[in-house]
Amino acid sequence: MSDAPPFSPTIMLLTLSRVWEARLADGLRPLGLTTRQYGLLGHIRGTPGISFSELARRSRITVQSAHTAVARFVAAGLVDDGTAHAGAASTLSVTAEGAAVLDRAAALVVDLDVEFAAQNPELADALRAQMMRALSSSE
């Protein structure tokens, strides 16, 4: 019988991340969103007028992928592109319908956060502390 592999915090964090990402994806599906689309839509709401280049950079996707995603959002009535023509700077903004979808998604995230913290209180505290350290070091 082989020995168990040594504990790896990296592998454990990736495993937990995958489990909770799948839970989020399952909850977003009825809203018509993927995890990536939720992030993109959130960036658009958080930064009205964001450029496609900046949207792509923040989301770690290509500019072409950002254009494709935004076109889908516009077709679904979630985003308005006030200057959707070649050569013009975009003025992307979330529509009222898009804001409602984001609000429902945010409620889902709150529910998942409560469940995660109840199941893993020490880890939730450690993650909160890590976030605070990261925020204070970036100032």
Side-chain angles (χ1 to χ4, degrees), residues 58-74:
R58 288 185 188 182
S59 303
R60 298 182 180 206
I61 61 175
T62 66
V63 173
Q64 294 82 1
S65 294
H67 276 279
T68 300
V70 168
R72 288 185 184 135
F73 289 151
V74 169

Side-chain angles (χ1 to χ4, degrees), residues 36-89:
R36 176 164 282 168
Q37 290 168 336
Y38 174 52
L40 286 166
L41 200 55
H43 285 310
I44 295 168
R45 177 164 70 178
T47 313
I50 191 170
S51 70
F52 281 96
S53 296
E54 181 63 13
L55 183 60
R57 188 188 67 73
R58 288 185 188 182
S59 303
R60 298 182 180 206
I61 61 175
T62 66
V63 173
Q64 294 82 1
S65 294
H67 276 279
T68 300
V70 168
R72 288 185 184 135
F73 289 151
V74 169
L78 304 177
V79 168
D80 180 50
D81 183 358
T83 56
H85 60 278

